[in-house]
Amino acid sequence: MATLLDGPVMRSGSGSWLVDIEGNRYLDCVAGPGVHLLGHGHPAVISAIERQASELIHSSFQLNEPVIELAEELARLAGGSFQRVFFANSGSEAIETAVKLAKKFQAARGRFGHSIAALENGYHGRSGIALALTGMNIYKTGLPGFSLYPGIVHLPVPRPGEVDLDELGRQLDARSQDDLLAVVAEPVLGVGGVIVPPDGFLRALRELCDARGALLIFDEIFTGLGRTGTTFAFERSGVRPDILVIGKPLGAGLPVGAVLTPDDLGSCWAPVDHSTTFGGNGALVGAVGKAVLGELTAGGLADASERAGNQLMGALRSAAPTDVEVRGQGLLIGLEWRSPDQATAFRRRMMARGVLVGIGGQQRSVVRLTPPLNITSDDLKLLESTTLAVFDEMVRR
Ligand SMILES: Cc1ncc(COP(=O)(O)O)c(C=O)c1O
């Protein structure tokens, strides 16, 4: 099987830096992508792993303290309405869980439709339902069944200043195949090209869901835990989802996903309705998750992300070539080029100067900058100066 990955083979990491097997150092502005909020080799993560590994790694079908405490801390951070947490092994699996739960909850109320709406350019993972929800055809090539998965439809994200609730409602109703059960959305679309929906869009989704008795599910697997400058990206809009899904950074590199729900939703399924061998009882993941949340709050990393993101975006906007759009929230930043070739060339040139960046978007023309949230000011300056130097090279080419 061909591998997706090329380039250097990494041996070690420390802070925002990776070192390959030949000793070359790279400023890691992919960070996972979006996994390493705390950078590599953070002492709090290492000591949580060492401490917990010597005590208990996993206790399948028996609760353990780290998992209970992590669930409590997540529910506290996400605000009052979430009392239940289900842990999964990945973001994709957490999304599948959230949709299954939504269907079960709706069926218990006599709602047996299939329709679930997601967003064009949204990304929710590569497994069955998660891939079907993903609104990026690039990941479905040769898999026509996935785009036709029963009941899953996609809504466009309106362009800036264009939120028209009635029009969105018409589109939703026209596309839904039957009773709408849920809407799944990223508050900021990450993999799909760092698309920040216009003000009022999340509120419109909330209103559309409420009017149709549908559940609103926010996928904050990429945006959650400080990445966009608030602990959760939904906070900026004031719109709360019925189900919140997180993942990526929670495990600092250990696989994890989590589904947060209010009591009435979480209690609609019995223990036999859903389970996974590793997801719910990983004491090790629980301990690491607690360490990540501890550093996130004690270190004020959401605010740090907001400040660093504004500073970096300001500098990049004033120097970007005219055909490059700089956009984002906090340290989730996208540079949209006219073509995928330009984005790839930009990434190669950044790498040649020792800075790793990601690429995304439906056309693969959006370069993504997602450094650790605790990136030092020197490393942030290096990211900025390297980006400006490569902008310059690209213009003179
Ligand atoms: C918003 C979002 N949802 C879901 C996923 C899938 O998570 P995982 O790769 O852990 O399955 C991702 C991964 O990039 C993501 O960014």
Side-chain angles (χ1 to χ4, degrees), residues 33 90-93 95 123-125 186 191 219 221-222 248 256:
S90 68
S92 305
E93 189 190 313
I95 284 290
Y123 182 85
H124 304 287
E186 295 164 86
V191 175
D219 176 346
I221 289 165
F222 208 154
K248 280 184 186 286
V256 66

Side-chain angles (χ1 to χ4, degrees), residues 26-29 347 350-357 382-383 386:
Y26 303 88
L27 182 61
D28 183 11
C29 298
R347 176 160 73 163
M350 291 290 282
M351 190 157 155
R353 289 170 176 264
V355 178
L356 303 176
V357 300
L382 179 63
L383 169 59
T386 309

Side-chain angles (χ1 to χ4, degrees), residues 17-323:
W17 291 85
L18 283 171
V19 183
D20 72 14
I21 51 175
E22 284 162 11
N24 301 308
R25 296 178 77 237
Y26 303 88
L27 182 61
D28 183 11
C29 298
V30 176
V35 166
H36 302 292
L37 294 188
L38 309 179
H40 300 279
H42 193 282
V45 172
I46 292 174
S47 77
I49 290 175
E50 286 174 350
R51 221 179 325 108
Q52 191 58 45
S54 63
E55 226 162 58
L56 177 69
I57 290 179
H58 173 255
S59 62
S60 205
F61 300 109
Q62 303 296 321
L63 282 170
N64 58 67
E65 278 179 320
V67 153
I68 295 172
E69 288 165 9
L70 178 60
E72 285 171 352
E73 183 58 9
L74 279 174
R76 192 190 66 74
L77 270 184
S81 56
F82 299 112
Q83 291 95 18
R84 303 246 178 168
V85 183
F86 179 89
F87 289 106
N89 299 290
S90 68
S92 305
E93 189 190 313
I95 284 290
E96 305 256 345
T97 304
V99 169
K100 182 175 164 186
L101 176 63
K103 286 194 169 198
K104 177 103 184 178
F105 178 80
Q106 295 287 29
R109 275 151 193 74
R111 308 262 312 265
F112 297 103
H114 288 95
S115 291
I116 310 253
L119 302 180
E120 289 175 6
N121 295 304
Y123 182 85
H124 304 287
R126 310 279 183 102
S127 57
I129 294 177
L131 180 59
L133 289 167
T134 292
M136 301 176 71
N137 292 334
I138 185 175
Y139 297 126
K140 301 181 184 181
T141 310
L143 294 169
F146 279 93
S147 47
L148 301 173
Y149 204 87
I152 291 181
V153 299
H154 291 92
L155 267 187
V157 176
R159 289 207 295 274
E162 274 187 3
V163 181
D164 177 337
L165 183 64
D166 295 334
E167 176 53 23
L168 272 174
R170 271 192 292 278
Q171 289 182 359
L172 188 57
D173 295 335
R175 293 173 191 209
S176 301
Q177 292 160 14
D178 53 19
D179 197 15
L180 182 74
L181 302 181
V183 171
V184 183
E186 295 164 86
V188 176
L189 287 67
V191 175
V194 190
I195 299 168
V196 184
D199 287 350
F201 179 62
L202 298 182
R203 166 99 23 226
L205 290 183
R206 180 72 274 174
E207 287 179 30
L208 294 171
C209 283
D210 291 346
R212 289 157 183 78
L215 296 168
L216 182 58
I217 301 174
F218 280 164
D219 176 346
E220 293 235 26
I221 289 165
F222 208 154
T223 55
L225 306 186
R227 171 61 55 194
T228 64
T230 47
T231 302
F232 298 100
F234 72 74
E235 290 168 31
R236 229 178 258 272
S237 66
V239 173
R240 292 185 65 82
D242 300 299
I243 301 179
L244 176 63
V245 186
I246 59 173
K248 280 184 186 286
L250 184 60
L254 299 186
V256 66
V259 183
L260 280 71
T261 76
D263 241 345
D264 58 339
L265 257 147
S267 60
C268 85
W269 61 16
V272 290
D273 283 336
H274 198 69
S275 86
T276 160
T277 301
F278 299 114
N281 297 289
L284 189 64
V285 174
V288 169
K290 279 198 309 167
V292 170
L293 298 187
E295 293 299 314
L296 175 71
T297 44
L301 293 185
D303 288 345
S305 170
E306 172 81 355
R307 277 194 306 275
N310 284 341
Q311 181 190 322
L312 186 57
M313 278 191 284
L316 301 189
R317 277 193 186 115
S318 57
T322 46
D323 53 354

